[in-house]
Amino acid sequence: MDVQQGVAGHPIPYSISHDDAMILPLLVGFCIVVALVGYYRKFIQRQFKQFFFDSPVAYRSGMTKEERFMVLTLMLGTCMLLSYVTSFYVADHHTAGLTGKHLTLVMTSLWGVFLGFFFLKWGLYQVVNLLFFGGKKTLQWSDSFQLLVAFEGLLLMPIMVLQIFGGMQWEFVMICTIIVVFLNKMLTFYKVYRTFFHKNDGFVPFFLYFCALEITPVLAFVGVLQKEIDSLEINF
């Protein structure tokens, strides 16, 4: 790997804030998120109210094609931001000297891993929910799942901007990311219960459902992600 030389031949320390290949996607993503949130603010307010307060029985999908495209765009952004956090973790804790174009390749590879995870998880939810709960509740949960992933990205975006441009400590970034992911799981816990088990069936079926479709896939994904990280260590 070529190392930029400073005065008297001393290597200039690598800084993500000076790496255009890492900064440009984040800046573009930030501008897109700001534009989308501003343009669809009424839709976001309506979805927030529906998420917490509307009765599952009275649910109707209120997304237009444009609004659904916005949500999917934010979901792609969530995967990108999670890949940023994970690639920085890999560079800091696993692979010595991982900088520049190699870090960009790692981030791109991890982006694909997160995209695959959320797509497979959504597909698993669709199959199980259609079999046991019918189309109406499946549609409601599908919309809620997409919104949860999208809003996770909205919370991660300022964290990454502060880390890259504000010099936020890496440990604090990890703590904030863990808090965001934990909050997402708690909201998922709430929405699953409210959608499928609010009036009947009891706590045990709900707990088994949540473990099978939420906890188990996450644990399996952590194992796959660790193998991907080990592969990146070998290749880079």
Side-chain angles (χ1 to χ4, degrees):
M1 181 186 301
D2 295 331
V3 178
Q4 188 177 4
Q5 301 295 316
V7 179
H10 293 291
I12 298 177
Y14 174 78
S15 174
I16 295 173
S17 62
H18 298 150
D19 189 341
D20 293 340
M22 295 295 290
I23 291 177
L24 185 59
L26 187 64
L27 284 177
V28 172
F30 180 76
C31 293
I32 291 174
V33 167
V34 171
L36 289 176
V37 171
Y39 187 79
Y40 291 103
R41 61 184 181 278
K42 291 184 178 179
F43 163 76
I44 293 174
Q45 292 171 357
R46 186 174 73 249
Q47 291 299 318
F48 178 84
K49 179 181 178 182
Q50 185 169 265
F51 186 92
F52 287 103
F53 302 111
D54 281 4
S55 170
V57 177
Y59 179 81
R60 295 289 185 277
S61 179
M63 291 193 198
T64 64
K65 290 182 179 180
E66 292 78 12
E67 290 167 346
R68 193 170 296 280
F69 177 78
M70 182 272 289
V71 173
L72 292 176
T73 301
L74 293 179
M75 291 176 67
L76 290 175
T78 300
C79 294
M80 182 186 74
L81 291 168
L82 289 171
S83 69
Y84 266 88
V85 174
T86 309
S87 62
F88 295 161
Y89 171 80
V90 171
D92 190 61
H93 291 82
H94 289 269
T95 307
L98 183 63
T99 59
K101 64 180 182 180
H102 286 172
L103 188 58
T104 305
L105 292 173
V106 169
M107 190 270 290
T108 304
S109 176
L110 291 171
W111 192 2
V113 172
F114 280 105
L115 281 172
F117 169 69
F118 283 118
F119 178 77
L120 291 174
K121 188 177 175 184
W122 174 83
L124 180 62
Y125 268 121
Q126 289 293 101
V127 172
V128 173
N129 291 339
L130 281 172
L131 286 174
F132 292 99
F133 300 106
K136 185 177 180 180
K137 288 188 176 181
T138 299
L139 175 62
Q140 181 183 3
W141 173 246
S142 178
D143 289 348
S144 298
F145 175 81
Q146 294 173 42
L147 288 168
L148 282 167
V149 176
F151 289 148
E152 185 176 1
L154 292 179
L155 295 177
L156 287 173
M157 178 62 75
I159 297 173
M160 291 309 305
V161 171
L162 287 174
Q163 199 279 330
I164 292 180
F165 299 106
M168 182 186 291
Q169 292 294 323
W170 169 249
E171 291 79 8
F172 189 65
V173 172
M174 286 300 300
I175 292 173
C176 291
T177 302
I178 291 172
I179 291 174
V180 169
V181 173
F182 179 77
L183 177 62
N184 178 272
K185 297 306 174 189
M186 291 298 97
L187 291 174
T188 302
F189 188 89
Y190 162 80
K191 195 60 179 179
V192 166
Y193 179 77
R194 184 171 175 82
T195 302
F196 300 114
F197 303 95
H198 181 56
K199 291 188 175 181
N200 48 35
D201 296 327
F203 181 78
V204 174
F206 160 67
F207 181 76
L208 293 175
Y209 174 94
F210 189 81
C211 289
L213 296 183
E214 190 65 33
I215 304 301
T216 301
V218 169
L219 294 177
F221 174 71
V222 170
V224 172
L225 188 61
Q226 184 59 54
K227 290 184 178 180
E228 179 69 13
I229 291 174
D230 293 340
S231 175
L232 292 171
E233 287 186 2
I234 295 173
N235 292 328
F236 297 115

